Amino acid sequence: MTTKEQLLKLFEENRGIYLSGGEIAQDLCISRTAVWKAVKALQNDGYFIDAARNKGYCLSDQTDILSEQGIKKYLDPVLSQSDIFIYQRVSSTNTILREKANSGAPEGCMVLANEQSSGKGRMGRSFYSPVGSGIYMSLLLRPKNCSGNDAVKITTLAAVAVCEAIEAVSGEKAQIKWVNDVFVKGKKVCGILTEGSFSLENGALDYAVLGVGINLYPPAGGLPDDISNTAGSVFGNVVSDAKNRMVAAFLKSFYSYKNSEPPTGYAQKYKERSLVIGKRVTLVSANTTREALVTDIDEDCRLIVQYDDGTIGCCSSGEIRVRL
Ligand code: BTN
């Protein structure tokens, strides 16, 4: 770790508390001048660090910047083992993480960015990812003996974990629209895109890249016209350490379900948060469109529907899209 990274870790672990220059210098085994230089460097990165005579330096609660140190301070030692790469701007965090996965990165490796120039959404769409307003993150998973069907569960499990994280950090109720969209107060605030790489030999999942985009704050330049009516954000204004807290809360929730073997317990939570149960929907597949009433969601998070002719159907997310 560089001096700047060590200092950030110390500040993150002592948010809102003044640390004297001498104390910091002793802790990090560096000179007071080196402390001052590292403080300046962090301030240049956007950290609000107050410097007060006789008190020392203090990382202000106003700061909301993603960092490895900031996320890991909320994680237990097991979860904080994994590598977390944070970039200012990338094409797509999923793309960068796929490259790392192809070079052998282990399960749990994460890529996050403050901005994506070509954020990817489902069905070949793009995901609007302006600087500073969202959390754009990808998590590498290497599940054993996982079929294509099991892989769909990664997305549903992630949707539940995102809802729980949003609720823990903001206190707002979060709901799930089939299957990868999370809504707060009727607006989409999060999209999930899971991309898999399958073995050509046995068709098993080699790895999955779980991509999650959470709109935390309204973008400075407003939303593009095509999503201005449907998209929203979790918060209206900057909230202290919301980004690091949100990522950590997501990881804790995601792994708590995933690590129960087989992963159970989340299907009921998914159902409780569903926006589609009891609603008439349009089911859109590759070549058909059909109206139906959603009557239930089963333990594999598939939709149970009743078509207008009275027949009952069961749909999984790989096959259909749902229009409310
Ligand atoms: C959707 O709403 O259709 C899914 C959007 C998924 C967006 C996230 S942001 C992080 C990760 N990187 C991407 O390029 N896409 C996902």
Side-chain angles (χ1 to χ4, degrees):
M1 261 202 277
T2 63
T3 301
K4 190 171 101 174
E5 287 165 349
Q6 283 178 299
L7 182 59
L8 179 57
K9 182 167 184 292
L10 195 63
F11 276 145
E12 282 290 6
E13 286 166 355
N14 295 279
R15 259 183 186 250
I17 298 170
Y18 280 89
L19 304 169
S20 76
E23 215 178 337
I24 299 171
Q26 206 174 22
D27 241 49
L28 304 186
C29 299
I30 54 173
S31 69
R32 290 176 75 131
T33 316
V35 172
W36 180 81
K37 278 190 187 156
V39 166
K40 284 279 155 220
L42 287 173
Q43 286 172 330
N44 284 339
D45 288 349
Y47 286 89
F48 294 107
I49 298 168
D50 187 42
R53 199 177 279 277
N54 299 328
K55 282 165 92 182
Y57 302 104
C58 168
L59 175 60
S60 154
D61 268 342
Q62 285 168 44
T63 301
D64 185 25
I65 298 179
L66 273 176
S67 70
E68 181 178 1
Q69 297 84 344
I71 295 167
K72 287 189 172 174
K73 74 171 186 257
Y74 294 114
L75 298 177
D76 64 33
V78 175
L79 281 185
S80 58
Q81 295 293 312
S82 301
D83 281 332
I84 298 181
F85 297 92
I86 301 184
Y87 300 96
Q88 190 50 37
R89 185 175 201 258
V90 295
S91 53
S92 150
T93 54
N94 272 23
T95 305
I96 305 295
L97 188 56
R98 285 185 82 135
E99 287 166 13
K100 292 188 188 295
N102 291 335
S103 310
E107 155 115 10
C109 179
M110 281 190 98
V111 168
L112 294 101
N114 287 309
E115 182 181 6
Q116 296 185 118
S117 54
S118 316
K120 294 191 280 185
R122 280 181 92 215
M123 314 279 172
R125 288 188 289 249
S126 62
F127 185 78
Y128 185 57
S129 315
V131 64
S133 72
I135 295 172
Y136 315 114
M137 63 176 165
S138 300
L139 172 65
L140 180 60
L141 301 165
R142 292 187 181 275
K144 305 246 167 10
N145 308 321
C146 185
S147 66
N149 260 355
D150 291 339
V152 173
K153 289 185 190 161
I154 295 172
T155 304
T156 49
L157 205 160
V160 172
V162 167
C163 288
E164 292 189 347
I166 289 175
E167 287 171 9
V169 177
S170 74
E172 296 289 351
K173 185 168 173 51
Q175 290 182 289
I176 304 166
K177 195 194 133 192
W178 179 264
V179 54
N180 65 324
D181 291 343
V182 174
F183 280 62
V184 168
K185 292 188 191 146
K187 301 276 184 184
K188 174 172 168 176
V189 300
C190 168
I192 301 168
L193 172 69
T194 308
E195 297 183 287
S197 172
F198 292 87
S199 155
L200 289 176
E201 277 164 31
N202 58 10
L205 186 69
D206 183 18
Y207 67 78
V209 166
L210 166 63
V212 178
I214 305 175
N215 306 334
L216 220 54
Y217 304 118
L223 289 165
D225 286 348
D226 57 332
I227 56 168
S228 61
N229 288 328
T230 49
S233 51
V234 176
F235 299 110
N237 296 303
V238 173
V239 169
S240 173
D241 212 16
K243 292 179 183 168
N244 292 324
R245 283 193 288 147
M246 191 72 84
V247 175
F250 166 77
L251 289 174
K252 282 196 253 184
S253 172
F254 180 80
Y255 278 109
S256 74
Y257 292 115
K258 180 182 170 289
N259 288 345
S260 56
E261 281 296 339
T264 47
Y266 72 93
Q268 182 58 28
K269 311 253 175 177
Y270 181 94
K271 188 170 151 175
E272 284 163 10
R273 291 191 164 78
S274 169
L275 272 172
V276 295
I277 293 182
K279 299 258 167 59
R280 282 193 64 77
V281 297
T282 308
L283 304 173
V284 185
S285 67
N287 39 24
T288 58
T289 297
R290 229 174 146 184
E291 304 284 316
L293 173 73
V294 179
T295 56
D296 204 357
I297 287 180
D298 72 9
E299 64 282 1
D300 288 322
C301 298
R302 290 173 304 196
L303 282 191
I304 310 298
V305 297
Q306 182 168 32
Y307 296 108
D308 290 349
D309 62 6
T311 54
I312 303 293
C314 173
C315 318
S316 77
S317 71
E319 298 157 5
I320 56 136
R321 281 189 294 136
V322 168
R323 274 197 232 123
L324 273 172

